[in-house]
Amino acid sequence: MTRILTYSLTLIIGLFHMNQITAQNPMKLETSKEAIKINNGHLSTLEGYIPSKSMTKDGKTAYFSQSSEQKPLYGVFSKKEQIHEIYRAEKINGKWSNITKLKVCPKYASAKHPTVSEDGKRLFFASNMRGSYGKYDIYVADINVDGSLGVSKNLGPKVNTKEDELYPNIYNGTLLFFASEGRDGFGGLDLYASQVSYNTLTPSVNLGSHINSSRDDYAIQLDLEKGESYVVSNRGENHTIEQVTIAYRRQPMDNTMVAYSDENLKTALNAEISNEYTSTSFED
């Protein structure tokens, strides 16, 4: 994995070009109590970026979040608040069914943006549960054989800050990408990376100016075979949320620029994973 990651940091970055993504129709899953929607992911200037469902490698299990209006715990006359909850679905005979709400955080707290690891054994997500370092923090929970989740663990100050950490995404097994607005970066939300293993992780590093912009950058996906990476950002005109395609090559070409070499990022990605997660945050 390290060889691939090191290569990706010395890529020749091509000119940006913008491609706006249109909203996709969500799949509706009927349960005995209510209709649940699995969102295939879309971009919206009103709702912000909504990531797509996260699926296991075999495509049989999906994780997604959904919001609802709920009365807060305290205050008889308090207004309803928007609460985000995480669900699990199974594909049976080509249809999504067996929708289960996962208890990854206490009631009245929110959890969203779930992403499942490649081996299907860990679920990463963002939550504002009590005990977080700031607003939303990144957490991880082991996925048991029966599909239930174990203890939710906060990834700690190597990842989380007093502000929001959102949109976790696992690449190549142990590389965690996420968006943060709690560090000195290039704009609002910047994209960061940290290597994570079981109970350990490396310090987070900014992905740099060739990936981040002066506006909000939400998520990144790498496609080394196509020689492209895809960044979701609101750097479009009038802060329109768009997908930015960044092309790269091994050798310099006309109309390209070389991404600067971030020694801190190289050090972090090649460092021994030795920093432990924080203590238990929530267990159902």
Side-chain angles (χ1 to χ4, degrees):
M1 181 195 70
T2 300
R3 179 182 63 80
I4 296 175
L5 296 178
T6 301
Y7 165 71
S8 69
L9 300 177
T10 57
L11 301 173
I12 306 305
I13 305 301
L15 295 178
F16 289 170
H17 71 271
M18 302 296 210
N19 293 314
Q20 185 168 354
I21 295 179
T22 56
Q24 302 181 43
N25 293 326
M27 293 179 290
K28 293 184 178 180
L29 307 176
E30 299 295 335
T31 69
S32 59
K33 295 182 179 179
E34 57 184 343
I36 302 294
K37 295 180 181 180
I38 289 187
N39 201 305
N40 284 330
H42 74 268
L43 313 181
S44 168
T45 55
L46 296 178
E47 300 176 28
Y49 168 55
I50 300 177
S52 62
K53 62 186 179 298
S54 178
M55 291 195 299
T56 53
K57 193 173 183 178
D58 60 10
K60 295 181 179 180
T61 306
Y63 297 89
F64 64 99
S65 58
Q66 180 171 278
S67 64
S68 62
E69 298 290 329
Q70 298 182 19
K71 290 285 289 184
L73 178 61
Y74 302 105
V76 178
F77 301 103
S78 299
K79 295 182 179 180
K80 289 185 177 181
E81 299 176 346
Q82 188 177 50
I83 299 296
H84 298 267
E85 297 170 305
I86 293 177
Y87 293 82
R88 177 180 183 270
E90 296 178 350
K91 180 171 281 189
I92 301 175
N93 297 325
K95 295 183 179 181
W96 292 106
S97 57
N98 290 348
I99 312 303
T100 304
K101 184 189 297 184
L102 300 179
K103 296 181 179 179
V104 299
C105 66
K107 192 175 181 181
Y108 304 109
S110 283
K112 58 184 179 179
H113 308 159
T115 184
V116 62
S117 61
E118 192 175 62
D119 60 9
K121 295 182 178 180
R122 291 177 296 167
L123 189 72
F124 294 82
F125 58 94
S127 177
N128 64 354
M129 72 176 79
R130 189 173 182 179
S132 298
Y133 284 84
K135 298 176 182 177
Y136 276 90
D137 280 5
I138 305 297
Y139 288 79
V140 64
D142 290 336
I143 301 174
N144 300 318
V145 176
D146 63 0
S148 63
L149 296 185
V151 176
S152 295
K153 297 180 180 179
N154 189 299
L155 293 192
K158 299 296 183 182
V159 168
N160 296 308
T161 68
K162 65 180 181 180
E163 300 297 334
D164 281 331
E165 275 69 46
L166 303 165
Y167 306 109
N169 184 42
I170 287 289
Y171 173 79
N172 210 18
T174 62
L175 182 61
L176 173 69
F177 291 124
F178 65 95
S180 173
E181 64 176 1
R183 297 174 170 84
D184 291 333
F186 297 94
L189 286 168
D190 270 16
L191 289 168
Y192 289 79
S194 172
Q195 281 198 41
V196 296
S197 184
Y198 284 98
N199 298 320
T200 56
L201 71 165
T202 62
S204 301
V205 289
N206 191 295
L207 294 188
S209 61
H210 56 291
I211 297 296
N212 291 305
S213 68
S214 60
R215 295 183 179 175
D216 290 324
D217 300 288
Y218 305 104
I220 182 172
Q221 288 186 335
L222 301 182
D223 190 332
L224 297 182
E225 292 184 2
K226 290 184 178 180
E228 294 179 342
S229 60
Y230 311 98
V231 177
V232 177
S233 172
N234 69 351
R235 67 185 75 175
E237 185 177 357
N238 297 322
H239 290 207
T240 300
I241 301 176
E242 299 175 328
Q243 177 173 282
V244 181
T245 302
I246 304 173
Y248 50 79
R249 300 291 184 270
R250 285 180 177 272
Q251 299 296 329
M253 299 176 64
D254 293 339
N255 299 320
T256 62
M257 58 182 180
V258 179
Y260 71 86
S261 179
D262 189 325
E263 294 300 327
N264 290 334
L265 183 53
K266 283 186 178 181
T267 299
L269 294 178
N270 290 290
E272 293 184 2
I273 303 176
S274 59
N275 299 296
E276 294 186 358
Y277 297 164
T278 60
S279 58
T280 299
S281 292
F282 175 74
E283 182 173 17
D284 182 38

